[in-house]
Amino acid sequence: MKEKVIEAINAQIKAEEESSRLYFAMANWCDTHGFPGSAAYLYIHADEERMHMIKLVHYLNERGAHATTQELEKPQNNWDSLQNVFQDVLTHEQKVTELINNLYEVCMIEKDYLTSNFLQWYMQEQVEEEATAHTVLDKLNLASSSQGGLFHFDKEMESMAKTAAAAPSA
Ligand code: FEO
C-alpha cells in the first residue's frame, strides 16, 4: 500500500476511536443527569464507533500494512443540556463525513481503488448516521417544548437503543 494511504487510514483509526470516547463521555453525562435512555443509546453508539475503528485496523493489517495505536485527545465531559449533547452528535458526524471524504480523495489521488472500494461502506454509514442524528435532534427539539417532553424523548431513546442492540453489527 502507498504510504500516504496508510497514514490517512491510521489518522481515521484515531478519529473513530476518539468518536467512540466522545460518545462514551456523552453517555456518562446522560447517565448522571437523569437520561438513562439517551445514555443507553449513546453507549451503543460508542461501541459502534469502536467497531468502525477495528474494521479499519483489520483492513490495514490484512493488506500487509500496520495499524498503529495512537495517543488520543481527551474528550469533552460536560454539556449544558441534552440538546447540546445531541447537537454535538450531529456536528461530530458531519465532521466525520468530511474526514471520510478526504480519505477517499487521498485514495483516488494515489490510485488505490481497492481502498476506495472498501471505503464505500463508511460513506454509506455516514449518510445513515447523519440522517439519524438529524432525526433525533428534531424529535428532541419538538419534545423540549412540551411538559414532560424530555421524559418521553428519553423513553424513545431507550427503545432506539434496544433496536440498535438487537441489530446485527456490520
Ligand atoms: Fe464512525 Fe459515526 O462515524
Side-chain angles (χ1 to χ4, degrees):
M1 284 179 82
K2 302 261 185 69
E3 208 47 53
K4 279 190 181 155
V5 176
I6 296 171
E7 253 176 48
I9 294 184
N10 271 318
Q12 191 63 33
I13 287 170
K14 180 174 191 264
E16 299 289 350
E17 195 168 6
E18 284 175 348
S19 298
S20 176
R21 283 158 52 91
L22 175 64
Y23 294 143
F24 188 69
M26 287 173 170
N28 288 338
W29 185 91
C30 291
D31 227 0
T32 50
H33 287 78
F35 301 114
S38 302
Y41 175 82
L42 288 162
Y43 280 128
I44 288 172
H45 204 155
D47 286 346
E48 284 174 4
E49 297 301 341
R50 199 172 140 70
M51 180 272 286
H52 294 174
M53 174 198 72
I54 290 170
K55 206 173 163 87
L56 287 164
V57 166
H58 287 161
Y59 178 76
L60 265 195
N61 293 345
E62 276 165 12
R63 297 282 319 277
H66 178 202
T68 52
T69 303
Q70 299 161 67
E71 194 172 351
L72 304 174
E73 300 292 329
K74 182 180 176 187
Q76 183 177 338
N77 274 281
N78 283 296
W79 285 266
D80 291 337
S81 66
L82 194 60
Q83 281 89 336
N84 283 153
V85 169
F86 282 102
Q87 178 58 57
D88 282 1
V89 170
L90 175 60
T91 305
H92 189 75
E93 285 304 328
Q94 288 167 335
K95 193 175 115 195
V96 173
T97 299
E98 207 177 310
L99 292 176
I100 296 286
N101 274 336
N102 293 343
L103 176 54
Y104 190 84
E105 193 178 0
V106 171
C107 295
M108 295 311 279
I109 291 168
E110 296 297 316
K111 297 188 178 357
D112 186 340
Y113 301 117
L114 288 179
T115 304
S116 312
N117 188 49
F118 168 76
L119 288 177
Q120 298 289 334
W121 182 88
Y122 284 84
M123 294 166 115
Q124 186 55 39
E125 185 73 6
Q126 282 315 118
V127 171
E128 286 167 21
E129 293 214 343
E130 275 197 37
T132 305
H134 268 294
T135 304
V136 168
L137 197 55
D138 287 346
K139 281 178 202 272
L140 179 54
N141 287 335
L142 271 176
S144 310
S145 57
S146 68
Q147 185 81 16
L150 285 185
F151 176 80
H152 293 295
F153 170 83
D154 197 59
K155 282 278 164 212
E156 197 167 342
M157 295 311 289
E158 188 180 352
S159 75
M160 279 178 76
K162 280 184 186 148
T163 306
S169 56

